[in-house]
Amino acid sequence: MDKVTQERIGSLHPLVRNEVTQIISEIDKELTGRAKVRITQALRTFEEQNNLYAQGRTKKGLKVTNAKGGQSIHNYGFAVDIALIIDGKTASWNMNTDWDDDGLADWMECVAIFKKYGWNWGGDWKSFKDGSHFEKEFLKTPTGKLKINNWRELIQIKQDQAGYIIF
């Protein structure tokens, strides 16, 4: 696991940090060729989210999100975006290449591991597909399971001093 990925995991909500570390470690073991996984986005501030939302609307560029600040699971530390780093230097979002020649596309190996841990993949969305995005829907809490369906539920929950929501 590279330093960038470790730093981004550190920004995630404390409830998912260990699990994401485990997921990335498992992916690293599976991808034995030229590709390694990197987290490209994790926790995102409301301001960062608003800047992304402005792309393709009030700023130049393609639309990359339909979520304003507070409306993305990234804003609460329960989502990551990934890329594959090829030969330690080139980022790739190619979902079809089998860099380790094991008969499976490396990207889809990542997807399978995230799904095994209960993470939803943006590539499965019916509209505005986001193949690099993964988000945690179910969280184990001391009182059982809490299902987080969307940002509307998260925005109403109290936050600690660091800004993370408290369950």
Side-chain angles (χ1 to χ4, degrees), residues 5 7-21 23 39 41-46 48-49 69-81 114 119 133-139 148 150-151 154-155 157-160 162-167:
T5 294
E7 288 172 0
R8 291 188 175 139
I9 289 172
S11 76
L12 292 171
H13 193 285
L15 288 176
V16 296
R17 287 179 193 162
N18 288 339
E19 183 171 272
V20 174
T21 298
I23 290 168
I39 294 177
Q41 287 276 297
L43 180 68
R44 198 181 288 148
T45 67
F46 285 25
E48 290 168 327
Q49 189 68 40
Q71 298 177 346
S72 170
I73 301 299
H74 279 287
N75 299 143
Y76 305 96
F78 295 110
V80 298
D81 294 340
F114 269 99
W119 287 67
H133 180 87
F134 298 86
E135 61 185 49
K136 186 67 173 179
E137 183 177 23
F138 292 97
L139 296 172
I148 297 173
N150 58 46
W151 64 270
L154 291 171
I155 204 165
I157 299 173
K158 289 183 182 181
Q159 297 180 351
D160 66 14
Y164 295 109
I165 60 173
I166 302 169
F167 295 99

Side-chain angles (χ1 to χ4, degrees), residues 53-113:
Y53 181 80
Q55 279 184 221
R57 293 175 176 87
T58 59
K59 293 183 177 180
K60 289 184 180 181
L62 298 173
K63 287 182 182 178
V64 294
T65 185
N66 284 329
K68 295 178 183 177
Q71 298 177 346
S72 170
I73 301 299
H74 279 287
N75 299 143
Y76 305 96
F78 295 110
V80 298
D81 294 340
I82 67 166
L84 294 177
I85 304 299
I86 312 305
D87 298 327
K89 55 187 173 186
T90 306
S92 172
W93 290 268
N94 182 314
M95 294 185 197
N96 301 313
T97 302
D98 178 14
W99 298 100
D100 56 4
D101 296 320
D102 64 358
L104 302 167
D106 289 5
W107 195 275
M108 299 314 292
E109 290 182 74
C110 296
V111 169
I113 292 169

